[in-house]
Every structure is written in C-alpha cells, then in structure tokens.
Amino acid sequence: MRLILLGAPGAGKGTQAEVIREKLSIPAVSTGNILREAQKNGTELGLKAKSYMESGALVPDEVVIGILKERIAQEDCQNGFILDGFPRTVPQAQALEEMGVEIDRVVDLEVPDETILERMGGRRVCESCGASYHLLYNPPKSPDVCDKDGGRLVIRKDDAPETVRQRLQVYHEQTEPLKAFYESRGKLRIVEGQEEVADTTRLVLQALED
Ligand code: AMP
Ligand code: ZN
C-alpha cells in the first residue's frame, strides 16, 4: 500500500499516519519530520530549510523532492509507505510520478480552518523522536513527556497563531490543487476529520478499502 495523506497543517495527518503505520506495518514518511531532524542536527539541509519553515512557507520543491526520493529508496519502504506532508505542490506530485512511484490511494483529511486554529494551541511534538500529540485529542500520558521514548514534548515554533494562518493560506494556494490532481487519476478519497482520533482512523481505513 502506497498511501498519501493530504490535508491542511493541523488536520491530523501526523496522528493518523502513526496509527495506520502500526496497523499496516508500513513506515510513515514525513518530510516535515525529516526537515526538523536536519535542523536539530545542524546539517546543511537543516540550515537551508530553517527560514522557510519558521515563516510558514514551503521549502523549495527541489530540496524536498531530493529528500523524499532518498527516503523511499530505502529498504523499509519497498513494501509500501504512508506519505505525510508530501507532495505539497503540483510539481512535487509530478516528480513522484516521474520517479515511477505508483500511489494506491490519496486520503484527504478535511478540517475547517477555524477548527484547525483552535486545535493548534494544544499541539505538542517530541523533541527526540518527532511523535505528535495533542493535549485534548491525543494526550500523552504525562503532559510534557513522550510516551515512546521519554523525550521532551515541545510546541513547534511554526504552530504560533500568525504562522498557522500563513501556513493555511499556503495550503489553500499551493497544496489544495492536489485534490483535483489526484481526483482526475481516480485516487482521491475525502475523509471529514472527526473530533475523536479513533473515529477519523476508522473512516481513513474504510477509505483505503473501497
Ligand atoms: P509539516 O510537519 O508537514 O507541517 O511541515 C513543516 C514545514 O516543513 C512546512 O511548513 C514546510 O515549511 C516544510 N515542509 C514539509 N514538507 C514539505 C513539502 N513537501 N514541501 C515543502 N515544504 C515542506
Ligand atoms: Zn518521542
């Protein structure tokens, strides 16, 4: 199963990707996590991406396409993967096709902007493994400690309200056209994000089956 999760920032892609990853035993690939990791390690890639990410803009296509290509060439991706946060532009989707990657399904998680702005305040991410939590919807056992590895949970810089607004605008302008792109290929399924993570998961799994 090669799956793409589409949706606005804060729609719950990361959370759903984690759940599906466990259910289907295929890796979840998040370009956002790879970029944050690169920043944390102070690599050249991290430096290059930093200013874009902090302002809520997209990192240039050629940079993320290169990252993605390298990642899905790895052994663990050979039986499938879940893409979370890639593609985000039509040229990125075209690049995926040009690489010869056959996508089985594209699930678009729909959540209204207003709900996203409300939700973002509770978002936390693990400093060491990148796992995402929400204090209300997907709470860690302890408010600032990662359940998986005990890492510290922090608020992402790009989750600040002004940045979130900027990211939503970028989403509508640059990423939303991907719905038509995949609709025209018969791959798109739309899932309305539910209040409960488990309810959304059920709908996502249904969308993979039909
Ligand atoms: P995310 O964790 O998916 O919300 O990504 C965080 C930030 O990383 C985004 O706001 C972008 O600046 C950058 N980013 C992640 N994935 C991509 C992508 N496919 N194309 C361009 N920028 C990306
Ligand atoms: Zn962790």
Side-chain angles (χ1 to χ4, degrees), residues 171-189:
Y171 169 75
H172 291 302
E173 286 172 8
Q174 304 197 56
T175 308
E176 222 166 9
L178 289 175
K179 289 200 252 174
F181 182 93
Y182 286 115
E183 174 66 31
S184 73
R185 286 154 174 75
K187 312 230 179 211
L188 188 74
R189 298 292 181 274

Side-chain angles (χ1 to χ4, degrees), residues 48-60:
K48 211 190 286 183
K50 191 175 157 82
S51 62
Y52 297 102
M53 291 176 76
E54 285 181 353
S55 70
L58 294 182
V59 173

